[in-house]
Amino acid sequence: MPAELTKRFLDPAVLAEISSLDLVARTVVEGFIAGLHRSPDFGFSQEFAEYRAYTPGDDLRHVDWNVFARTERAYLKRYRGETNTEVMVLLDASASMGFASGAVSKFDYSKFLASALVYLAHLQRDSTGLVVFHDDVADFVRPSGRQGQLMRLLHAIDRARLGKRTNFSKPFFELQQALKRRGITVLISDFFESAENIVRTVEPLRFRGNQLVLFHVLDRGELEPRLPQAALLIDMETDEAIEASPEYARTEYRGRIGAHLDHLRSKAHAAGFEYFFLPTDRPLDEALREYFTVRRHRI
Amino acid sequence: MGLFAPWFLAGLIAAGLPLWLHLLRQYRENPQRFSSLMFFERRLQSSTKRRRLQYPMLLALRLALLALLVLAFANPFVRRMERETARRKLTVIAVDRSFSMRYGDNMQRAKAEARRIIGQLNGSDIAEVIALDSRVEALTRPETDRNILISAIDSIQAGDLASSFGELTRALRVIGENAGMRLDVYFISDMQESSMPADFADLRLGANTFLKLHCIGDSGAPNWAVETVSAPTHIYGAGQARVSATIAGWNTPMASRRVSLLLNGKIIASKEVSIPANGRAGIEFLSFEAPYGANRGEIRIEPHDPLPNDDEVPFSIERADPRKVLFLYQGSRSREAFYYKAAMESSTEAGLTIESMFAENAAGADLSKYSFVVLGDDGELDQVLERKLREYVRRGGGLLISIGPSVERAGRVPVTGDRVAGRLDQQSPGFLDGQHPALAGVGRLENVQFFVAGRLSSTPDARVIARFADASPLVLEQRIGEGRVLTFDSTLDNSTSDFCLHPSFLPFVVQTGRFLAGSDDASLNVTTGTPVQLRRGADQATAAEVIGPDGKHELSLAQATKSRDFNLDREGFYEVQRADGKRLLMAVHSDRRESDLRRASDETLALWRNTGSTGQPAQSGQAKQETRPWNLWRYFLFLALLVALVESVFASRYLREGQKAA
């Protein structure tokens, strides 16, 4: 990516200095939208479905005023998602998400991402919910499109705190029970688990007609760890300790984590998931724009 | 291989430091939290294992560096066979020429033994001849010429001094250090026990010195000698002399000897004395007349034994009129002269008579006829008299100054110029230097009270020989030219102290008088080796003179004007004229320890021999193989330096790699 283009996007470190997640989400979303040709149907549930005659009680904001001008009848513009799409954001709050080699930790970055997604979904009038989990469900906001849902979601994201270790099995089982409608499920995690295990755990969501999107968030320090000298590494989730040498971190580790990324991407695609890799040093608006561009072309 | 300082090996503990640095320190002090360890494998990640694989050379170099440094400090050595040739050794032939070697033909036998040793030397051997008595004299330089060595041996004559094995040992150490080669010492002596030093440590030879002892003479040889003679050195007036003597025998049976008293070569009395076996007998000669002047006395026993020289002891005795002492006093203070005169003339040994004189009348007096002058408390001394007194002292005269109220008022001591500032009340005597000849035998002046005294401030050239209890000077001694001045910080009457009423006043007056009159000088009857003082100061204006027992002048012209002392090394009478003009007839006899011919025990001699290198001296002309410790610390230090250089190269390489990796 050209440097001048990169400069247009927001450095995650800048986002970290904004205390309000609302503002972060607005900044990110408006930022990546501003970089595109404005499109009214840009979002998760972007498929136009039909016009419906206005009935008292409908939200006037959804009235298609162009049609009204031409026909003097009020019609509401309806999208496919409004009828059957529900966006559920699953945010991993395990201890490993607290890792940071720079100004922004994976968890902060994931919070920004989750905020941006729920904000975007709100703009699209999608029914949006949130699950914060680690080895258990830490917080759950039921999907809804009602007034105030956005703020509820943002508050839930804001108060999310790191837990202990990641355990997909238990929260996903409970989530399967909670999700009654098919929709889009967004899973934000560092996926420090075997690809098979991840896919096996989240695959049941796919069987219910859900679209599953995996946002794989990793720190640059996890991809290319820098050890100036031999060090005793302590696992943030298990407190397990292991001695690591700079040479191993420089060579074999990078190969292994690269293989893990490739394998997870491959397995996710094979299982029909969308997989998107997000290093924390990448501008979030730029990443989202790329993701949605790819997604629109795919659809 | 051995170690001179093995305790330095404890430094090998420091080798643990690099091990700790390499294996433990790095990761123990640098734990890092990491998100997940699922991509790290335990089997490969032990930094300990990796460092063992990665830095073995660096670790080995550091360990080697430490080990080499520790070894260098431990001072390792190996014993190496060295071929020693005769060229690298110095043969020292030491011959005892002390008084005891006069016994029988001991000296001839010693010379014959020395010549035999020289005859066995190889042509290329370096040898030196030294002679020993109380000092060591090198008779030759290190030589290869046998004729010079034999001539030196032939020139050796038994002397009158006592031998000192400690002095020989010290000289051998010096010779060994200067020569820088091995010493083979052949010591030819009668090995008297009395020649051994009091401390055996004084017999420690150098490490490279081989001592071989050649004993001459018979350890059980009987010998009689006149051991001591007690005779007055001076007789004053019409008094008669009394002489006592001790006759001793060593390894002797009970025997009878005729003991004669000789005066100026004539036998004036003889007595038979029975001497017990290995014992002593005393004898006295009472009431004999001695003519005026210096007389040469002698106690002799007959018949003589194989060591005849110790059968006679010379002594000097001088008859003279009592010497005069001038007491100068102020008109109102004649009591000082009264007390002083009474004390001095009560002693018959002092030989001093007091003449009193008003100080005002003394300006025209001839001071040279007085042994010394006493200046009573006089703070207003006439300047002419003061200059005269100063000149008198400078030429060798003595002066005793008493300080009382008059001097205290003037604030200045006449002649010496010392200051008197302040006043002392009710003082008692404190420290007295009993070793000083002016106060020898005076005692501690117990119970004496000084009611009042001036506070005397001494000049740097003055010596405080007695103090008050508060440490203020009581008696000062000063030398002006050839003369002596004693300053007594009190009067000699009972006006300022009760000193003159105490018994200690008498010895004080007599002893200070003898000191100022010069009668305290070393006894006229001394043992060989005793020095006699020729002059007190560095004044070279007048010459001293010494005429030896054989009637010859002993001093060169330079010595006569410069020497301050002269050693009386031979038995007999020495006529000494000191620089101050005083004439002495000194009687010198040998140290009677030399008369005891008992030999030191074989064990003691073996111990002495073993303080040097053990084993036998190398045979002349033979090359000898011997092991010597060869010091290796330099090589270890050099290796350590080399390893340190290599280590720095490796370390910098690893450092660069580490930086690249980071």
Side-chain angles (χ1 to χ4, degrees):
Chain A
M1 185 177 294
E4 59 274 15
L5 188 59
T6 306
K7 286 176 186 171
R8 288 171 44 203
F9 299 107
L10 290 167
D11 189 335
V14 176
L15 292 178
E17 293 174 1
I18 302 173
S19 58
S20 167
L21 270 180
D22 180 22
L23 186 57
V24 169
R26 193 189 305 272
T27 306
V28 171
V29 172
E30 290 181 355
F32 84 77
I33 289 176
L36 298 169
H37 299 294
R38 186 169 287 275
S39 170
D41 53 0
F42 190 86
F44 288 114
S45 49
Q46 74 278 34
E47 292 178 71
F48 174 75
E50 59 184 350
Y51 284 108
R52 175 174 70 81
Y54 173 79
T55 56
D58 285 339
D59 193 344
L60 288 176
R61 289 178 298 178
H62 298 159
V63 173
D64 190 337
W65 297 106
N66 292 327
V67 174
F68 177 77
R70 287 198 299 271
T71 63
E72 293 185 348
R73 286 185 180 180
Y75 288 96
L76 300 182
K77 191 174 184 179
R78 300 189 65 180
Y79 297 87
R80 182 172 296 171
E82 287 181 319
T83 55
N84 56 4
T85 300
E86 186 177 84
V87 177
M88 196 69 187
V89 177
L90 307 181
L91 176 61
D92 183 1
S94 62
S96 63
M97 292 292 284
F99 183 83
S101 63
V104 181
S105 70
K106 289 190 292 183
F107 193 53
D108 290 336
Y109 193 88
S110 299
K111 281 171 144 187
F112 301 156
L113 175 61
S115 304
L117 293 178
V118 298
Y119 183 76
L120 183 62
H122 169 73
L123 289 182
Q124 299 295 130
R125 301 181 191 87
D126 288 332
S127 177
T128 314
L130 175 73
V131 175
V132 180
F133 70 97
H134 33 82
D135 57 346
D136 203 345
V137 175
D139 202 354
F140 176 60
V141 180
R142 192 172 294 282
S144 169
R146 290 183 299 171
Q147 284 284 2
Q149 178 69 359
L150 175 63
M151 294 316 292
R152 274 194 293 277
L153 292 169
L154 292 179
H155 285 154
I157 294 169
D158 190 34
R159 68 171 174 263
R161 294 290 179 268
L162 289 171
K164 294 182 180 175
R165 44 190 312 179
T166 312
N167 183 359
F168 290 108
S169 307
K170 190 177 177 186
F172 271 72
F173 176 77
E174 292 181 4
L175 187 62
Q176 286 173 30
Q177 308 308 314
L179 292 178
K180 301 298 183 188
R181 296 174 57 190
R182 69 187 185 93
I184 298 173
T185 301
V186 178
L187 176 55
I188 305 170
S189 174
D190 52 9
F191 295 115
F192 276 121
E193 186 67 73
S194 69
E196 290 78 7
N197 206 14
I198 294 167
V199 170
R200 188 171 57 248
T201 306
V202 302
E203 207 166 24
L205 295 175
R206 177 83 174 88
F207 297 154
R208 294 188 174 216
N210 272 315
Q211 272 191 306
L212 196 56
V213 183
L214 306 184
F215 280 105
H216 193 171
V217 180
L218 283 180
D219 191 281
R220 184 61 60 188
E222 291 170 319
L223 297 167
E224 300 162 356
R226 292 192 172 202
L227 297 177
Q229 56 192 6
L232 184 70
L233 300 181
I234 299 170
D235 193 299
M236 295 173 75
E237 294 188 0
T238 63
D239 286 337
E240 183 188 6
I242 202 165
E243 298 158 18
S245 70
E247 189 186 17
Y248 181 85
R250 194 169 59 246
T251 56
E252 196 165 342
Y253 174 86
R254 292 185 186 183
R256 289 165 73 96
I257 196 165
H260 172 70
L261 292 177
D262 293 341
H263 191 48
L264 181 58
R265 181 184 294 110
S266 166
K267 294 287 285 183
H269 289 161
F273 307 156
E274 291 184 21
Y275 174 87
F276 196 73
F277 174 66
L278 276 174
T280 58
D281 57 349
R282 186 175 186 187
L284 190 54
D285 46 351
E286 181 253 335
L288 286 177
R289 194 191 70 173
E290 181 188 331
Y291 166 68
F292 283 115
T293 304
V294 171
R295 176 182 168 83
R296 187 173 57 181
H297 288 308
R298 190 179 300 152
I299 293 170
Chain B
M1 182 167 171
L3 298 168
F4 284 125
W7 51 88
F8 269 102
L9 289 180
L12 283 174
I13 296 169
L17 183 65
L19 282 172
W20 178 68
L21 287 173
H22 278 250
L23 303 179
L24 301 172
R25 181 177 170 270
Q26 297 289 335
Y27 69 89
R28 287 290 181 207
E29 292 188 356
N30 189 23
Q32 292 182 13
R33 294 188 71 79
F34 200 74
S35 51
S36 174
L37 303 182
M38 65 178 290
F39 302 116
F40 288 93
E41 288 188 9
R42 186 172 294 281
R43 64 184 172 83
L44 291 175
Q45 298 312 304
S46 167
S47 60
T48 303
K49 291 175 183 174
R50 291 201 63 78
R51 283 192 173 274
R52 276 180 183 157
L53 292 172
Q54 195 170 3
Y55 302 127
M57 180 58 81
L58 193 60
L59 177 63
L61 285 169
R62 288 175 175 172
L63 288 174
L65 175 62
L66 279 170
L68 286 169
L69 279 175
V70 168
L71 280 173
F73 277 97
N75 210 349
F77 67 91
V78 291
R79 291 201 172 276
R80 205 167 64 163
M81 293 296 287
E82 282 191 356
R83 183 182 176 83
E84 183 162 12
T85 62
R87 176 64 68 183
R88 294 189 60 217
K89 73 169 184 183
L90 172 64
T91 302
V92 177
I93 301 161
V95 180
D96 185 356
R97 65 173 181 189
S98 65
F99 179 82
S100 60
M101 292 296 283
R102 291 179 181 272
Y103 190 92
D105 61 348
N106 279 1
M107 197 68 237
Q108 298 306 317
R109 292 165 62 189
K111 288 182 180 181
E113 181 69 11
R115 280 192 287 267
R116 186 187 65 78
I117 293 167
I118 291 171
Q120 289 179 346
L121 292 177
N122 187 273
S124 60
D125 283 352
I126 306 170
E128 181 178 359
V129 175
I130 62 175
L132 168 74
D133 41 39
S134 61
R135 296 179 290 270
V136 171
E137 183 184 3
L139 301 181
T140 67
R141 300 167 65 86
E143 290 282 352
T144 54
D145 189 339
R146 301 291 166 266
N147 294 328
I148 294 175
L149 297 174
I150 289 173
S151 297
I153 293 294
D154 290 342
S155 70
I156 295 174
Q157 298 296 326
D160 294 328
L161 294 167
S163 58
S164 167
F165 294 167
E167 188 64 21
L168 172 66
T169 308
R170 191 191 64 79
L172 290 176
R173 282 202 299 265
V174 173
I175 292 171
E177 287 168 10
N178 291 341
M181 60 178 86
R182 162 194 168 131
L183 284 191
D184 284 358
V185 181
Y186 298 89
F187 180 41
I188 307 161
S189 167
D190 54 4
M191 305 296 170
Q192 277 183 286
E193 188 176 12
S194 60
S195 300
M196 287 288 177
D199 187 356
F200 190 80
D202 294 339
L203 290 178
R204 184 172 293 279
L205 294 162
N208 224 10
T209 302
F210 294 83
L211 177 64
K212 184 165 176 60
L213 302 173
H214 296 259
C215 297
I216 302 297
D218 183 3
S219 177
N223 184 35
W224 287 272
V226 181
E227 190 175 31
T228 61
V229 170
S230 175
T233 54
H234 292 87
I235 308 170
Y236 295 105
Q240 291 192 325
R242 170 177 167 272
V243 175
S244 61
T246 304
I247 314 301
W250 291 273
N251 287 321
T252 52
M254 192 175 76
S256 178
R257 285 287 184 275
R258 168 170 289 275
V259 183
S260 303
L261 169 64
L262 290 84
L263 198 63
N264 298 321
K266 292 181 181 175
I267 297 175
I268 58 172
S270 290
K271 289 184 179 178
E272 285 287 333
V273 63
S274 177
I275 308 163
N278 280 324
R280 289 172 172 74
I283 190 167
E284 270 190 333
F285 294 96
L286 301 172
S287 303
F288 67 92
E289 295 285 343
Y292 271 89
N295 297 284
R296 303 183 180 211
E298 185 178 323
I299 295 290
R300 179 186 296 170
I301 58 172
E302 291 172 316
H304 291 309
D305 53 26
L307 185 58
N309 298 64
D310 63 358
D311 294 345
E312 303 164 355
V313 169
F315 62 92
S316 173
I317 188 166
E318 182 180 4
R319 177 180 290 277
D321 288 328
R323 289 169 294 173
K324 293 178 184 176
V325 177
L326 179 62
F327 198 110
L328 300 174
Y329 60 95
Q330 281 186 315
S332 60
R333 299 196 61 85
S334 60
R335 286 172 64 85
E336 276 195 284
F338 170 76
Y339 280 103
Y340 191 81
K341 181 181 173 76
M344 183 65 84
E345 292 183 353
S346 67
S347 167
T348 55
E349 295 178 1
L352 298 168
T353 58
I354 309 297
E355 272 187 28
S356 304
M357 188 182 291
F358 288 114
E360 290 84 354
N361 301 335
D366 179 12
L367 300 180
S368 64
K369 64 181 183 181
Y370 298 103
S371 292
F372 67 95
V373 177
V374 182
L375 182 60
D377 175 29
D378 192 346
E380 299 167 355
L381 192 64
D382 179 57
Q383 288 187 357
V384 175
L385 178 59
E386 186 174 351
R387 277 201 299 273
K388 196 170 180 177
L389 282 171
R390 177 174 281 276
E391 182 60 21
Y392 165 72
V393 173
R394 199 185 66 77
R395 290 179 177 275
L399 178 63
L400 173 65
I401 304 171
S402 69
I403 296 175
S406 176
V407 174
E408 197 180 323
R409 278 195 301 275
R412 175 182 173 275
V413 179
V415 181
T416 64
D418 291 336
R419 308 303 301 176
V420 181
R423 193 181 181 89
L424 298 170
D425 293 322
Q426 290 297 335
Q427 290 287 332
S428 56
F431 162 78
L432 264 84
D433 185 359
Q435 301 297 316
H436 194 277
L439 297 179
V442 171
R444 300 179 57 189
L445 309 186
E446 287 177 350
N447 302 321
V448 175
Q449 285 293 317
F450 295 91
F451 312 131
V452 66
R455 188 181 290 277
L456 192 59
S457 57
S458 60
T459 53
D461 59 338
R463 178 180 173 189
V464 181
I465 60 175
R467 294 181 184 275
F468 288 114
D470 73 343
S472 301
L474 173 60
V475 182
L476 292 178
E477 187 229 340
Q478 284 170 277
R479 292 179 182 268
I480 300 175
E482 291 286 316
R484 306 163 172 176
V485 178
L486 289 179
T487 307
F488 180 55
D489 192 12
S490 184
T491 57
L492 297 167
D493 59 7
N494 59 352
S495 62
T496 60
S497 74
D498 62 356
F499 185 29
C500 62
L501 307 178
H502 282 271
S504 52
F505 185 64
L506 186 66
F508 176 80
V509 168
V510 172
Q511 190 59 31
T512 52
R514 287 170 59 83
F515 172 73
L516 291 170
S519 306
D520 68 296
D521 290 338
S523 170
L524 298 177
N525 302 319
V526 296
T527 56
T528 50
T530 304
V532 61
Q533 190 178 40
L534 299 179
R535 53 172 49 83
R536 293 196 181 103
D539 192 355
Q540 299 179 8
T542 52
E545 188 57 83
V546 176
I547 297 175
D550 52 2
K552 293 181 179 175
H553 292 272
E554 298 284 330
L555 300 178
S556 67
L557 191 58
Q559 287 174 324
T561 55
K562 292 179 182 174
S563 294
R564 301 181 69 161
D565 299 294
F566 178 78
N567 283 328
L568 306 172
D569 288 346
R570 287 182 290 161
E571 279 196 321
F573 291 97
Y574 283 84
E575 292 178 35
V576 178
Q577 182 177 354
R578 298 197 312 204
D580 59 4
K582 190 170 182 178
R583 286 181 169 274
L584 304 171
L585 179 65
M586 306 285 295
V588 183
H589 60 274
S590 62
D591 189 336
R592 283 299 176 261
R593 285 178 299 178
E594 286 287 303
S595 299
D596 183 359
L597 299 173
R598 280 177 298 179
R599 185 181 298 169
S601 68
D602 292 340
E603 292 81 7
T604 306
L605 295 175
L607 281 173
W608 182 20
R609 231 178 9 245
N610 291 338
T611 58
S613 295
T614 53
Q616 294 297 315
Q619 292 301 309
S620 303
Q622 292 178 352
K624 186 188 175 188
Q625 294 280 347
E626 67 172 20
T627 59
R628 287 175 178 276
W630 185 39
N631 220 321
L632 299 174
W633 69 269
R634 291 179 186 83
Y635 303 98
F636 278 93
L637 208 58
F638 177 74
L639 277 175
L641 183 66
L642 207 63
V643 170
L645 284 172
V646 178
E647 191 270 348
S648 64
V649 171
F650 271 83
S652 62
R653 202 179 74 183
Y654 288 136
L655 192 64
R656 279 200 301 274
E657 285 181 0
Q659 285 171 345
K660 280 180 189 172

